Amino acid sequence: MLLERWDLNAEASGRNAGGFHVQIQFEPFEVEGEDWARAWAPTIPLLIDAVEHWQGLSGELGVELEVKLTGGVLVAETEEQLAAIERKAAIERGAGLDVELLSRADLRRVAPYLSSALAGGLLCPVEGKANPLLATHAFARAAQQLGARIELRVDLLEIERTPGGFRVETSGGPIECERIVDCAGVAAGRVSALVGVPLPVESWPLQAHVTEAVAPLVRHLVAFAGGRLTVKQAAAGSILIGGGWPSEPDPETGRPAVSLHSLHANLRVARHVVPALAGVRLLRIWTGVCNGTPDHRPILGELEDVPGFFVAAFPFLGFTAAPLMGRLVAELACGRAVPYDLAPFAAARFSAAHVEEPVPADR
Ligand SMILES: Cc1cc2nc3c(=O)[nH]c(=O)nc-3n(C[C@H](O)[C@H](O)[C@H](O)COP(=O)(O)OP(=O)(O)OC[C@H]3O[C@@H](n4cnc5c(N)ncnc54)[C@H](O)[C@@H]3O)c2cc1C
């Protein structure tokens, strides 16, 4: 049984930019450094397998999910950025990810639509995209056909441990169950707190931008080492522009609202990297709250002190990881082993540290 307090796809899974990200994200690499990246690297095999998993999903779920492995290019405009990308690539290769360093000439050949001022970059062939507006609903329908119950507009309020498992208070009445999977996105830390383990799941209010549909222009999932940016072109021809720019709270309601500063800055960096975007009209902007963890690693597995309570929280890149995460946590909840070392993803890594109250989400 799935309890959902709003509607399917109402939160991050329906508001993200649909990119498959596998490589180490450049911004945290630059800020946190190589030790952080090496500690994050066990996440890479999960993401590689997640993308492989995506490739069979349109057939398995019977819906064309617009899954495409376009390759991702991280581009640089300075020699310092290129040197950092090279250091990052060494860690990625060590974790089994196939990445190719691109010189200025390589970049012109591989992605001629990018600015000629760029110094080079990195190609990650397994990156790509799918359509998040289709994927969640396709999963939900398939799950229901296999007997899953989906309870919409039901809020999980309290959890009490019982000899047989748990008694859950919800806005729709109590539920007795043997096991719980906490997949509450930005609220995962607050849900785990209900069994006495407040995990430091973060809320990052972001915004994303989409243009009118145009002829094929952007072939890859493009990221930039010189500023926050992701650009990709959807199957319909529209171009999605994002990269982690913050939204800002509406002064009256407190809900995330469009930040004009982020709009301006995101489009400026996008035009800098893909000059032809100057001639494309913006169609829509939306906000969404992204889930994070302090070390960017997922939290996956059963809580040590609360048998029967499982957490599935994949930060920042949760769209890429979701289908595999779902499968893994289902296996774990059924008492079966999974073929990964989950130690780097254990919730227990936070228990000794100071755990802050999770930031309130967007409602
Ligand atoms: C603007 C933006 C762009 C992004 N771009 C990308 C991208 O390109 N690629 C990528 O891989 N990732 C991307 N992400 C991240 C990705 O969207 C998230 O990591 C992922 O969707 C998280 O999925 P989830 O199922 O854990 O959480 P969610 O999709 O947020 O689902 C959690 C659900 O739990 C429900 N819930 C919470 N508390 C309760 C409760 N007490 N009772 C009942 N229900 C509850 C919520 O209503 C919600 O529907 C982006 C995120 C944002 C916001």
Side-chain angles (χ1 to χ4, degrees), residues 2-21 47 128 136 151 153-157 182-188 190-191 194 204-208 221 230 232 242-245 286-292 312-322 363:
L2 174 74
L3 301 182
E4 166 53 57
R5 79 165 121 176
W6 305 115
D7 212 334
L8 290 175
N9 248 6
E11 297 289 355
S13 294
R15 293 165 180 261
N16 66 73
F20 294 160
H21 296 274
L47 289 168
T136 308
E151 300 286 340
R153 283 167 287 283
V154 174
D155 207 336
L156 180 151
L157 303 170
D182 174 4
C183 54
V186 293
R190 262 169 290 155
V191 170
L194 298 176
W204 292 81
L206 305 180
Q207 70 186 47
L221 167 60
T230 57
K232 74 187 76 68
W245 288 89
W286 73 91
T287 62
V289 185
C290 188
N291 54 320
F314 203 105
F316 303 110
L317 312 179
F319 177 69
T320 310
R363 304 194 192 238

